[in-house]
Amino acid sequence: MTVEISTVAKVAKLSRIKVDDETLPELARDFNAILGFIEQLREVDVTKIEPMVSVSPMTLKIRDDSVNDGDKQRQILVNAPDTREGFFAVPKVVE
């Protein structure tokens, strides 16, 4: 797949990037080099390689998936301008 100069101009217009006409051929070459590199990557056999979480070996922590209230109700409500019965109190908006 090759990228033509007209395609580069269209991409620049859609991206709302001002590109001078004399730089379009250079951008087309750059796009084609990038696409060529991607094609090279597609040729690599990765069927026996396990997906990685990170580039450094690590084990993710497994913890119980449990629901709780966080036990921080007082800390959360301390800065509220108005509270009632442990909840935020807000002014009535609809009459």
Side-chain angles (χ1 to χ4, degrees):
M1 177 178 163
T2 59
V3 177
E4 298 175 359
I5 294 175
S6 61
T7 306
V8 174
K10 184 177 180 180
V11 169
K13 182 179 179 184
L14 291 173
S15 304
R16 298 183 188 266
I17 299 172
K18 183 179 180 181
V19 178
D20 296 328
D21 289 339
E22 55 269 359
T23 59
L24 288 175
E26 182 182 352
L27 284 174
R29 281 192 302 274
D30 291 343
F31 281 161
N32 286 318
I34 292 168
L35 291 174
F37 181 70
I38 292 172
E39 288 299 321
Q40 282 182 333
L41 291 177
R42 287 186 181 173
E43 295 173 3
V44 177
D45 181 24
V46 293
T47 55
K48 296 181 181 177
I49 299 175
E50 293 183 31
M52 298 181 348
V53 175
S54 173
V55 292
S56 57
M58 61 188 297
T59 308
L60 295 177
K61 297 178 183 176
I62 298 176
R63 61 177 185 226
D64 293 335
D65 189 13
S66 60
V67 177
N68 62 36
D69 64 355
D71 197 31
K72 296 185 179 196
Q73 183 179 15
R74 284 194 186 123
Q75 293 172 341
I76 292 171
L77 294 176
V78 73
N79 290 326
D82 189 12
T83 61
R84 294 189 188 129
E85 300 176 15
F87 295 98
F88 291 103
V90 293
K92 185 176 180 180
V93 203
V94 179
E95 294 185 33

